[in-house]
Amino acid sequence: MTGVRTDTDFMRRALELAGRAEALGEVPVGALVVQGERIIGEGWNQPITLKDPTAHAEILALRAAAAELGDYRLGGTTLYVTLEPCPMCAAALVHARVARLVYGAWDPRQGAAGSAFNLVTSRELNHRIDCFGGVLADECGAALKRFFSSRR
């Protein structure tokens, strides 16, 4: 690939990671952390596989990025995720000092980046994240709908 990668390019990678979660029987959510043009951490939902309630895609991507950088503070990075983060993940993003959040589908039931709650831009917290939702929203939402309709 030549040229500068876009939010859409990175979200396509997040969708690929969501496919890994789905292959494991997990809710298909994928996430990656980018610094500049470089992917420094990736994750996909694995709470069932890892028997860990915190093993959401965002948390695993943050852990991988922190290990790559040797620091838990991830200032200047962007996290891409296929579904709006839940409160746990949104709080982790704030604590990690992620600069920017880009997500695909909105989560009106438990989304914490503007839908049900808004932790990422709260003035009550010591860090705010530049947030942009709706990138490849149709594709991200379709993956989730397919997954849940196959289980009903």
Side-chain angles (χ1 to χ4, degrees):
M1 173 190 254
T2 60
V4 175
R5 291 192 279 184
T6 66
D7 287 345
T8 301
D9 297 326
F10 287 119
M11 190 60 70
R12 287 195 195 293
R13 177 60 185 156
L15 277 164
E16 291 172 9
L17 297 170
R20 290 187 185 183
E22 186 170 16
L24 295 171
E26 304 272 6
V27 176
V29 177
L32 55 126
V33 179
V34 174
Q35 184 178 55
E37 287 285 305
R38 186 169 73 102
I39 296 171
I40 60 170
E42 295 183 329
W44 51 93
N45 268 5
Q46 297 181 67
I48 298 166
T49 303
L50 298 178
K51 297 172 182 52
D52 177 355
T54 69
H56 290 195
E58 301 94 321
I59 300 297
L60 297 176
L62 289 172
R63 288 176 184 163
E68 174 69 18
L69 295 181
D71 193 348
Y72 77 96
R73 299 239 173 150
L74 303 175
T77 62
T78 300
L79 184 127
Y80 293 87
V81 63
T82 56
L83 178 64
E84 180 181 0
C86 72
M88 174 185 70
C89 293
L93 294 172
V94 170
H95 287 295
R97 308 294 194 275
V98 168
R100 188 166 174 257
L101 166 64
V102 178
Y103 63 88
W106 288 271
D107 185 351
R109 298 176 96 196
Q110 58 183 347
S115 291
F117 312 95
N118 197 345
L119 293 178
V120 299
T121 62
S122 173
R123 294 195 181 279
E124 301 301 317
L125 300 176
N126 63 342
H127 175 73
R128 282 165 286 294
I129 299 171
D130 182 24
C131 182
F132 185 70
V135 174
L136 297 180
D138 291 340
E139 292 92 331
C140 294
L144 290 159
K145 285 177 186 157
R146 272 192 316 271
F147 176 81
F148 286 113
S149 69
S150 73
R151 300 220 164 349
R152 292 188 179 120

